[in-house]
Amino acid sequence: NDSDEVNAYWYFKQSGYDSAAAHLEKALTNADDKQDKSRREFLLAQLYEMNGQTEKASEYYVKASKHTVDPLLDIYARLNDAKMYRTGDNIQELDNSIATLLKMAKKDKFEAYRDIVYYSAAQLLLQRPDTNAAIINFDKSVKYNENNITYKNKAFLQLGDIAYKRKMYKMAANMYDSLQLSDTT
């Protein structure tokens, strides 16, 4: 299994993501502990996503979410799993993903990450499209954001763009003025 780890890395560096995924999947048994296994599953899901294999990607995002003890990895695994349904025609799956995110936002475990969760729910709501519900969730993202300038700026930018498209220029200007230019990302 050690050689599978090395081969996975080598194929990854060569942009052979399908081969990297195959070798990384074989090397899952090499994980030191539950957290290491969840990190590998998350990487595996990303590789499958890059290959366009959304079902396999979703499967490994779910596994990573179940095995992790890190709330941030749990959030991103669930968010990325929810993204797997954004491009499809399955509105029910999209609605389930949004509902899952909104449930996460209410749990104490994810309190420090509510800004990211609400932002992500708003992004999915724009895919539905439900702009009014997206605005509510972008506002909640800003409200719960304490120190994450990047996500605050993203939320203000989305709110500004929505207001601009609705020809609410004064509100759009206020949202754009709220952007913090010290953020370099």
Side-chain angles (χ1 to χ4, degrees), residues 13-177:
K13 293 300 276 182
Q14 304 298 318
S15 299
Y17 303 124
D18 54 344
S19 297
H23 285 284
L24 184 58
E25 193 167 10
K26 290 177 187 175
L28 278 177
T29 57
N30 260 11
D32 296 331
D33 55 18
K34 200 173 183 181
Q35 185 59 27
D36 187 35
K37 185 174 185 175
S38 67
R39 285 180 49 242
R40 290 170 188 242
E41 289 167 340
F42 187 84
L43 291 171
L44 193 52
Q46 288 178 313
L47 288 170
Y48 281 126
E49 184 178 355
M50 292 166 79
N51 287 327
Q53 297 174 333
T54 56
E55 286 183 27
K56 289 281 276 186
S58 179
E59 173 188 334
Y60 278 101
Y61 282 131
V62 169
K63 286 181 180 182
S65 177
K66 285 181 182 176
H67 293 144
T68 190
V69 293
D70 178 14
L72 196 56
L73 183 65
D74 189 13
I75 288 171
Y76 281 108
R78 291 178 192 225
L79 297 180
N80 288 344
D81 183 39
K83 281 192 322 187
M84 297 298 100
Y85 306 108
R86 285 192 348 193
T87 57
D89 294 329
N90 194 340
I91 299 298
Q92 183 62 40
E93 288 294 333
L94 183 61
D95 289 343
N96 289 343
S97 297
I98 293 166
T100 299
L101 290 173
L102 295 176
K103 285 178 193 172
M104 285 172 60
K106 294 177 183 176
K107 293 182 179 179
D108 291 339
K109 176 181 177 182
F110 302 107
E111 183 176 358
Y113 308 105
R114 283 188 178 142
D115 57 331
I116 298 170
V117 174
Y118 281 121
Y119 176 83
S120 300
Q123 287 291 96
L124 292 177
L125 284 161
L126 287 177
Q127 296 296 319
R128 194 187 283 166
D130 187 352
T131 309
N132 292 330
I135 290 170
I136 291 168
N137 283 282
F138 282 130
D139 285 336
K140 286 181 180 180
S141 176
V142 170
K143 175 184 172 185
Y144 288 108
N145 193 320
E146 294 176 13
N147 297 320
N148 194 340
I149 296 171
T150 302
Y151 273 91
K152 189 176 270 191
N153 277 346
K154 287 180 178 184
F156 279 132
L157 186 60
Q158 288 284 349
L159 288 167
D161 290 348
I162 291 168
Y164 187 82
K165 287 177 186 171
R166 291 182 170 187
K167 298 184 184 339
M168 300 168 73
Y169 301 118
K170 198 172 218 175
M171 182 180 284
N174 289 337
M175 294 298 128
Y176 294 141
D177 284 344

